[in-house]
Amino acid sequence: MALITNSKATFNYEIVEKFEAGIELFGFEVKTIRSKHGKLDGSYVKFKNGEMFISGSDIPPFQPSNTPIGYDRVRNRKLLMSKAQILRLKQKVESDKLTLIPLSLYNKGRVLKAEIALARGKKQFDKRAKVMKRESDREMERTLKR
């Protein structure tokens, strides 16, 4: 069961392939995520020095009065994957012009994992068509109820 999800990911992107990665967090960040606070909307995965990081995720402090001074709630958080997987993902991102986005953070036993996905951005007309289809389906449901 996902603790935090990226609600706009499936609307803005076409998911090509999903992966699981560990994530490096502070203890109070883990408490915050387990209490289902935080946002992944607008976040993405970037590569730096052969490592992967989640950028743009917002994880507020669990108890603001007990957090370290200078805590940055939107800091880059390191993803934990093997070197071979990181290289393979980097090659796919560069060659196929895809992007890596986090879909969710969830528990797997006692550890927190991040579900990331290779995704292709949707065009504006694809998004509009999806909204129009959703609205027409709702309208049909309303008329059937009457």
Side-chain angles (χ1 to χ4, degrees), residues 27-75:
F28 55 88
E29 289 178 328
V30 172
K31 284 184 172 184
T32 301
I33 292 170
R34 287 199 173 136
S35 64
K36 300 182 180 183
H37 292 99
K39 294 179 185 170
L40 288 176
D41 296 339
S43 59
Y44 58 95
V45 177
K46 66 180 182 179
F47 297 95
K48 186 177 180 184
N49 298 331
E51 297 175 332
M52 292 188 337
F53 295 90
I54 291 182
S55 285
S57 62
D58 182 16
I59 301 175
F62 184 66
Q63 294 175 329
S65 59
N66 290 344
T67 55
I69 297 171
Y71 169 65
D72 183 16
R73 40 191 296 173
V74 290
R75 71 181 178 88

Side-chain angles (χ1 to χ4, degrees), residues 32-141:
T32 301
I33 292 170
R34 287 199 173 136
S35 64
K36 300 182 180 183
H37 292 99
K39 294 179 185 170
L40 288 176
D41 296 339
S43 59
Y44 58 95
V45 177
K46 66 180 182 179
F47 297 95
K48 186 177 180 184
N49 298 331
E51 297 175 332
M52 292 188 337
F53 295 90
I54 291 182
S55 285
S57 62
D58 182 16
I59 301 175
F62 184 66
Q63 294 175 329
S65 59
N66 290 344
T67 55
I69 297 171
Y71 169 65
D72 183 16
R73 40 191 296 173
V74 290
R75 71 181 178 88
N76 295 337
R77 291 167 180 88
K78 186 176 178 180
L79 290 174
L80 307 171
M81 292 181 87
S82 68
K83 289 282 186 191
Q85 285 177 319
I86 292 172
L87 287 174
R88 189 171 72 93
L89 286 175
K90 188 172 184 179
Q91 288 172 352
K92 280 192 173 188
V93 166
E94 291 171 353
S95 66
D96 299 341
K97 295 191 178 179
L98 300 173
T99 186
L100 269 173
I101 55 169
L103 296 177
S104 65
L105 297 177
Y106 60 93
N107 273 336
K108 186 172 186 182
R110 291 184 53 199
V111 293
L112 283 177
K113 296 284 186 175
E115 183 179 32
I116 58 174
L118 272 172
R120 183 175 292 113
K122 285 185 182 177
K123 304 284 187 227
Q124 190 66 36
F125 61 85
D126 291 334
K127 293 179 192 178
R128 264 191 245 120
K130 188 173 182 177
V131 168
M132 287 175 20
K133 183 181 182 316
R134 186 179 349 149
E135 287 176 0
S136 66
D137 289 345
R138 283 183 188 158
E139 190 63 37
M140 284 186 355
E141 287 293 322

